[in-house]
mmCIF file of all heavy atoms in Angstrom:
data_model
loop_
_atom_site.group_PDB
_atom_site.id
_atom_site.type_symbol
_atom_site.label_atom_id
_atom_site.label_comp_id
_atom_site.label_asym_id
_atom_site.label_seq_id
_atom_site.Cartn_x
_atom_site.Cartn_y
_atom_site.Cartn_z
ATOM 1 N N LYS A 43 -36.523 212.341 -29.759
ATOM 2 C CA LYS A 43 -35.837 211.499 -30.745
ATOM 3 C C LYS A 43 -34.775 212.371 -31.506
ATOM 4 O O LYS A 43 -34.937 213.552 -31.711
ATOM 5 C CB LYS A 43 -36.822 210.972 -31.759
ATOM 6 C CG LYS A 43 -37.840 210.002 -31.207
ATOM 7 C CD LYS A 43 -38.804 209.595 -32.344
ATOM 8 C CE LYS A 43 -39.912 208.720 -31.803
ATOM 9 N NZ LYS A 43 -40.932 208.386 -32.838
ATOM 10 N N ASN A 44 -33.678 211.660 -31.886
ATOM 11 C CA ASN A 44 -32.624 212.249 -32.722
ATOM 12 C C ASN A 44 -31.980 213.438 -32.147
ATOM 13 O O ASN A 44 -31.733 214.439 -32.816
ATOM 14 C CB ASN A 44 -33.202 212.575 -34.118
ATOM 15 C CG ASN A 44 -33.756 211.383 -34.809
ATOM 16 O OD1 ASN A 44 -33.177 210.284 -34.808
ATOM 17 N ND2 ASN A 44 -35.010 211.499 -35.333
ATOM 18 N N THR A 45 -31.730 213.450 -30.808
ATOM 19 C CA THR A 45 -31.082 214.548 -30.172
ATOM 20 C C THR A 45 -29.758 214.071 -29.620
ATOM 21 O O THR A 45 -29.460 212.836 -29.530
ATOM 22 C CB THR A 45 -31.903 215.067 -28.957
ATOM 23 O OG1 THR A 45 -32.136 214.025 -28.040
ATOM 24 C CG2 THR A 45 -33.260 215.619 -29.472
ATOM 25 N N LEU A 46 -28.928 214.971 -29.175
ATOM 26 C CA LEU A 46 -27.671 214.609 -28.563
ATOM 27 C C LEU A 46 -27.893 213.800 -27.292
ATOM 28 O O LEU A 46 -27.137 212.817 -27.035
ATOM 29 C CB LEU A 46 -26.811 215.868 -28.215
ATOM 30 C CG LEU A 46 -25.424 215.658 -27.656
ATOM 31 C CD1 LEU A 46 -24.602 214.707 -28.583
ATOM 32 C CD2 LEU A 46 -24.724 216.980 -27.470
ATOM 33 N N THR A 47 -28.899 214.119 -26.520
ATOM 34 C CA THR A 47 -29.211 213.324 -25.306
ATOM 35 C C THR A 47 -29.492 211.857 -25.682
ATOM 36 O O THR A 47 -28.985 210.979 -25.012
ATOM 37 C CB THR A 47 -30.384 213.966 -24.550
ATOM 38 O OG1 THR A 47 -30.067 215.306 -24.198
ATOM 39 C CG2 THR A 47 -30.710 213.222 -23.286
ATOM 40 N N GLU A 48 -30.342 211.679 -26.695
ATOM 41 C CA GLU A 48 -30.675 210.343 -27.069
ATOM 42 C C GLU A 48 -29.368 209.573 -27.553
ATOM 43 O O GLU A 48 -29.188 208.444 -27.181
ATOM 44 C CB GLU A 48 -31.705 210.282 -28.205
ATOM 45 C CG GLU A 48 -32.093 208.878 -28.611
ATOM 46 C CD GLU A 48 -33.019 208.806 -29.752
ATOM 47 O OE1 GLU A 48 -32.722 209.519 -30.810
ATOM 48 O OE2 GLU A 48 -34.024 208.078 -29.668
ATOM 49 N N LYS A 49 -28.553 210.282 -28.331
ATOM 50 C CA LYS A 49 -27.346 209.631 -28.826
ATOM 51 C C LYS A 49 -26.351 209.301 -27.670
ATOM 52 O O LYS A 49 -25.741 208.258 -27.685
ATOM 53 C CB LYS A 49 -26.641 210.530 -29.838
ATOM 54 C CG LYS A 49 -27.468 210.571 -31.159
ATOM 55 C CD LYS A 49 -26.874 211.614 -32.128
ATOM 56 C CE LYS A 49 -27.800 211.621 -33.340
ATOM 57 N NZ LYS A 49 -27.736 212.842 -34.104
ATOM 58 N N ASN A 50 -26.282 210.195 -26.698
ATOM 59 C CA ASN A 50 -25.487 209.931 -25.523
ATOM 60 C C ASN A 50 -25.980 208.697 -24.757
ATOM 61 O O ASN A 50 -25.192 207.827 -24.378
ATOM 62 C CB ASN A 50 -25.469 211.109 -24.569
ATOM 63 C CG ASN A 50 -24.504 212.231 -24.959
ATOM 64 O OD1 ASN A 50 -23.656 212.029 -25.811
ATOM 65 N ND2 ASN A 50 -24.706 213.399 -24.385
ATOM 66 N N ILE A 51 -27.252 208.573 -24.552
ATOM 67 C CA ILE A 51 -27.832 207.481 -23.813
ATOM 68 C C ILE A 51 -27.672 206.165 -24.607
ATOM 69 O O ILE A 51 -27.463 205.128 -23.963
ATOM 70 C CB ILE A 51 -29.276 207.758 -23.434
ATOM 71 C CG1 ILE A 51 -29.345 208.888 -22.372
ATOM 72 C CG2 ILE A 51 -30.044 206.558 -23.002
ATOM 73 C CD1 ILE A 51 -30.728 209.449 -22.067
ATOM 74 N N GLU A 52 -27.699 206.232 -25.929
ATOM 75 C CA GLU A 52 -27.418 205.014 -26.705
ATOM 76 C C GLU A 52 -26.024 204.509 -26.491
ATOM 77 O O GLU A 52 -25.742 203.333 -26.443
ATOM 78 C CB GLU A 52 -27.626 205.332 -28.192
ATOM 79 C CG GLU A 52 -29.072 205.419 -28.576
ATOM 80 C CD GLU A 52 -29.263 205.919 -30.099
ATOM 81 O OE1 GLU A 52 -28.288 206.206 -30.769
ATOM 82 O OE2 GLU A 52 -30.415 206.014 -30.480
ATOM 83 N N LYS A 53 -25.042 205.480 -26.241
ATOM 84 C CA LYS A 53 -23.654 205.039 -26.030
ATOM 85 C C LYS A 53 -23.406 204.605 -24.603
ATOM 86 O O LYS A 53 -22.673 203.621 -24.381
ATOM 87 C CB LYS A 53 -22.713 206.191 -26.387
ATOM 88 C CG LYS A 53 -22.586 206.440 -27.814
ATOM 89 C CD LYS A 53 -21.213 207.086 -28.124
ATOM 90 C CE LYS A 53 -21.011 207.196 -29.561
ATOM 91 N NZ LYS A 53 -20.117 206.209 -30.046
ATOM 92 N N THR A 54 -24.007 205.310 -23.643
ATOM 93 C CA THR A 54 -23.895 204.937 -22.219
ATOM 94 C C THR A 54 -25.149 205.400 -21.505
ATOM 95 O O THR A 54 -25.454 206.588 -21.582
ATOM 96 C CB THR A 54 -22.644 205.509 -21.514
ATOM 97 O OG1 THR A 54 -22.707 205.104 -20.115
ATOM 98 C CG2 THR A 54 -22.498 206.970 -21.678
ATOM 99 N N ASN A 55 -25.867 204.467 -20.922
ATOM 100 C CA ASN A 55 -27.108 204.845 -20.316
ATOM 101 C C ASN A 55 -26.982 205.372 -18.834
ATOM 102 O O ASN A 55 -27.967 205.526 -18.182
ATOM 103 C CB ASN A 55 -28.108 203.706 -20.393
ATOM 104 C CG ASN A 55 -27.703 202.479 -19.595
ATOM 105 O OD1 ASN A 55 -26.553 202.362 -19.177
ATOM 106 N ND2 ASN A 55 -28.654 201.608 -19.389
ATOM 107 N N ASN A 56 -25.803 205.581 -18.445
ATOM 108 C CA ASN A 56 -25.503 206.177 -17.071
ATOM 109 C C ASN A 56 -25.702 207.709 -17.188
ATOM 110 O O ASN A 56 -25.000 208.335 -17.986
ATOM 111 C CB ASN A 56 -24.118 205.839 -16.643
ATOM 112 C CG ASN A 56 -23.960 204.369 -16.333
ATOM 113 O OD1 ASN A 56 -24.796 203.704 -15.686
ATOM 114 N ND2 ASN A 56 -22.898 203.771 -16.885
ATOM 115 N N ILE A 57 -26.598 208.202 -16.348
ATOM 116 C CA ILE A 57 -26.809 209.638 -16.325
ATOM 117 C C ILE A 57 -26.784 210.160 -14.886
ATOM 118 O O ILE A 57 -26.881 209.388 -13.962
ATOM 119 C CB ILE A 57 -28.117 210.073 -17.053
ATOM 120 C CG1 ILE A 57 -29.372 209.453 -16.331
ATOM 121 C CG2 ILE A 57 -28.127 209.609 -18.500
ATOM 122 C CD1 ILE A 57 -30.152 210.510 -15.697
ATOM 123 N N SER A 58 -26.749 211.490 -14.761
ATOM 124 C CA SER A 58 -26.918 212.128 -13.497
ATOM 125 C C SER A 58 -28.193 213.012 -13.648
ATOM 126 O O SER A 58 -28.509 213.399 -14.763
ATOM 127 C CB SER A 58 -25.692 213.071 -13.181
ATOM 128 O OG SER A 58 -24.564 212.246 -12.995
ATOM 129 N N PHE A 59 -28.862 213.257 -12.508
ATOM 130 C CA PHE A 59 -30.078 214.077 -12.579
ATOM 131 C C PHE A 59 -30.104 215.044 -11.382
ATOM 132 O O PHE A 59 -29.458 214.860 -10.375
ATOM 133 C CB PHE A 59 -31.300 213.233 -12.624
ATOM 134 C CG PHE A 59 -31.557 212.403 -11.382
ATOM 135 C CD1 PHE A 59 -32.413 212.904 -10.383
ATOM 136 C CD2 PHE A 59 -30.963 211.165 -11.219
ATOM 137 C CE1 PHE A 59 -32.604 212.178 -9.272
ATOM 138 C CE2 PHE A 59 -31.221 210.437 -10.111
ATOM 139 C CZ PHE A 59 -32.007 210.902 -9.083
ATOM 140 N N ASN A 60 -30.914 216.069 -11.550
ATOM 141 C CA ASN A 60 -31.146 217.065 -10.524
ATOM 142 C C ASN A 60 -32.580 217.539 -10.593
ATOM 143 O O ASN A 60 -33.110 217.806 -11.647
ATOM 144 C CB ASN A 60 -30.203 218.247 -10.865
ATOM 145 C CG ASN A 60 -30.427 219.415 -9.891
ATOM 146 O OD1 ASN A 60 -30.215 219.300 -8.701
ATOM 147 N ND2 ASN A 60 -30.835 220.548 -10.376
ATOM 148 N N ILE A 61 -33.231 217.618 -9.424
ATOM 149 C CA ILE A 61 -34.600 218.134 -9.325
ATOM 150 C C ILE A 61 -34.571 219.158 -8.187
ATOM 151 O O ILE A 61 -34.200 218.859 -7.080
ATOM 152 C CB ILE A 61 -35.611 216.976 -9.004
ATOM 153 C CG1 ILE A 61 -35.559 215.910 -10.092
ATOM 154 C CG2 ILE A 61 -37.025 217.595 -8.812
ATOM 155 C CD1 ILE A 61 -36.299 214.649 -9.782
ATOM 156 N N ASP A 62 -34.998 220.375 -8.504
ATOM 157 C CA ASP A 62 -35.116 221.430 -7.494
ATOM 158 C C ASP A 62 -36.174 222.402 -7.956
ATOM 159 O O ASP A 62 -36.794 222.266 -8.975
ATOM 160 C CB ASP A 62 -33.780 222.097 -7.218
ATOM 161 C CG ASP A 62 -33.229 222.865 -8.439
ATOM 162 O OD1 ASP A 62 -34.010 223.403 -9.195
ATOM 163 O OD2 ASP A 62 -32.022 222.775 -8.631
ATOM 164 N N GLU A 63 -36.445 223.424 -7.107
ATOM 165 C CA GLU A 63 -37.434 224.445 -7.440
ATOM 166 C C GLU A 63 -36.812 225.763 -7.845
ATOM 167 O O GLU A 63 -37.508 226.777 -7.773
ATOM 168 C CB GLU A 63 -38.331 224.647 -6.222
ATOM 169 C CG GLU A 63 -39.093 223.463 -5.787
ATOM 170 C CD GLU A 63 -39.872 223.718 -4.498
ATOM 171 O OE1 GLU A 63 -39.248 224.079 -3.474
ATOM 172 O OE2 GLU A 63 -41.075 223.507 -4.515
#
Side-chain angles (χ1 to χ4, degrees):
K43 295 176 185 175
N44 302 313
T45 61
L46 183 53
T47 301
E48 181 185 50
K49 291 174 182 155
N50 279 344
I51 290 171
E52 286 172 358
K53 286 204 174 259
T54 176
N55 65 344
N56 294 310
I57 62 110
S58 296
F59 66 94
N60 176 61
I61 300 168
D62 64 37
E63 298 175 304

